[in-house]
Amino acid sequence: TQAPVNVTVTGAAGQIGYALLFRIASGQLLGADTPVKLRLLEIPQAVKAAEGTAMELEDGAFPLLAGIDIFDDPKQAFAGANVALLVGARPRTKGMERGDLLEANGGIFKPQGEAINAGAAEDIKVLVVGNPANTNSLIARSNAPDVPIERFTAMTRLDHNRATAQLAKKLGVSVSDVKKMTIWGNHSATQYPDIFHAEVAGKNAAEAVNDQKWLEEDFIPTVAKRGAAIIEARGASSAASAASAAIDHVYTWVNGTAEGDWTSMAVPSDGSYGVPEGLISSFPVTCRGGKWEIVQGLEIDEFSRGKIDASVAELSEEREAVRKLGLV
Ligand code: NAX
C-alpha cells in the first residue's frame, strides 16, 4: 500500500474542523486507497478540545487513518505536510473595521506561510478556508517565497456547490445534470456566480432559465448571501457544507475534473480575464495530474464583466490594505 499522506488542518477544534476531520479520516479527501496522517494545529487554549476530537477520531477506527498529532506551533504542524487545510482564522467581531480584521488575520497567516515555506513537503498543496479566505491565502503565499505560487488556493467551492444546487432546483433537474458552473472573484458578497457558460443536461443554462429577473434578483443574491441566511436559520455559520466543499476542492485538485466539466477555485491570477496578476481570485478551472489550469477563451458579456470587475476591485483593495500593513 501507499505511504501515508500528511494532512495538516488548522482550526481543528472548530466547527468546520469537527465535520472535516471525520471525512478526511474516512478517505474522502484523497481517495479510498490513500492512508492519511493528520497533523492538527490549534491555539494553546483549544488544544484540549482538539485532543477530544482526536479521541473521537480514534474511536472511529478508520482503516485509512495512520496517526494523529496535535500542535500549537505552526512550524511543527506544517513540517512534512503534503496537504494543508487552513481553516482557523480570526472572525470579524462587532465594531471591527476591515483593516483590523486583515491585520488580525495577518498575525495568523503570515507565520503559517513562513512555516509552510520552512518545512512543508515538496508537493505541498494549500487550501485556505478561513475568512477573508482569498486575501488570507495571498498573505500565506507571499510569506512562502520558495513554494511555487500555484500551490496556494482559497475556497469558493462552497459557493460553486450552492450555485449548482440553486440552479438545479430552479430547473427541476439533478445537481449532476449541471456542468461548468463558475464562481468569479472574491469569496464574499461581491462574488459572481455565472450561469452563462453553465450547461444543464447539455443545454446552455442561461438559455434554459431564460429569466434575467430571476438571475439578478433571486439567484445571484441567494448564492452570495447564503452564508448569512444559514447563520440566521441555524444560529451558527455553515460548517458541514463548508467541510464538504473543502473535501470537494482538494479531491478535485488531486484527482481531476471530469471530461467536459470544470470547477471553481480561487487561484493566483496570471492576468486571465483582466484579473490583475497575483490576486487570488476565483476562476473556472480544470484539474489534471494534481495541477489546475484556468479555463481560457470564455466570452464575457457586459453584464458579467461588470460583476467580475466589482468583485476583483474588492480583492485589489484588500491587497492594497495588507500591503500597507507589510503583510505581502
Ligand atoms: P470556529 O470559530 O468554530 O473555529 C475556528 C477554530 O480556529 C477555533 O477552534 C480557533 O481556536 C482556531 N484558530 C484560531 N486561530 C488559530 C491559529 N492561529 N492557528 C490554529 N487555529 C486557530 O470557526 P468555523 O466555523 O470552523 O470557521 C472557520 C473559518 O472558516 C472562519 O474564518 C469562517 O469565516 C470560514 N468559512 C469559510 C467559508 C468559505 O467558503 N471559504 C465558508 C464557511 C466559513 O464561514
Side-chain angles (χ1 to χ4, degrees), residues 158-235:
L158 179 55
D159 310 300
H160 176 101
N161 288 348
R162 286 166 170 167
T164 299
Q166 291 299 321
L167 179 63
K169 195 160 84 174
K170 165 80 173 169
L171 293 173
V173 300
S174 151
V175 287
S176 44
D177 291 328
V178 177
K179 311 269 189 241
K180 301 183 176 175
M181 179 59 72
T182 303
I183 304 294
W184 298 93
N186 201 1
H187 167 68
S188 76
T190 67
Q191 65 174 271
Y192 173 47
D194 175 2
I195 67 166
F196 288 98
H197 304 100
E199 292 170 8
V200 173
K203 294 214 312 245
N204 180 274
E207 283 166 24
V209 168
N210 192 24
D211 185 348
Q212 186 70 16
K213 188 170 150 66
W214 175 81
L215 179 68
E216 289 184 47
E217 291 173 20
D218 193 336
F219 175 75
I220 295 173
T222 296
V223 173
K225 295 181 191 158
R226 187 71 164 180
I230 302 277
I231 293 174
E232 180 65 29
R234 243 190 119 229

Side-chain angles (χ1 to χ4, degrees), residues 9-18 41-43 45-46 71-72 74 86-91 105 107-109 112 128-134 136 154-159 162 187 237-239 241-243 245:
V9 179
T10 78
Q15 50 153 5
I16 294 176
Y18 193 73
L41 178 66
E42 260 297 349
I43 53 174
Q45 310 88 284
F71 305 94
D72 62 8
L86 276 46
V87 179
R90 173 71 206 271
N105 279 292
I108 296 174
F109 288 87
Q112 291 186 0
V128 176
V129 174
N131 281 320
N134 302 54
N136 286 343
M155 189 166 94
T156 50
R157 185 61 174 265
L158 179 55
D159 310 300
R162 286 166 170 167
H187 167 68
S237 57
S238 28
S241 57

Side-chain angles (χ1 to χ4, degrees), residues 74-82 113-122 124 147:
K75 284 258 152 42
Q76 292 177 349
F78 291 109
N82 305 104
E114 289 165 353
I116 288 168
N117 198 57
E122 281 289 304
I124 179 70
V147 178

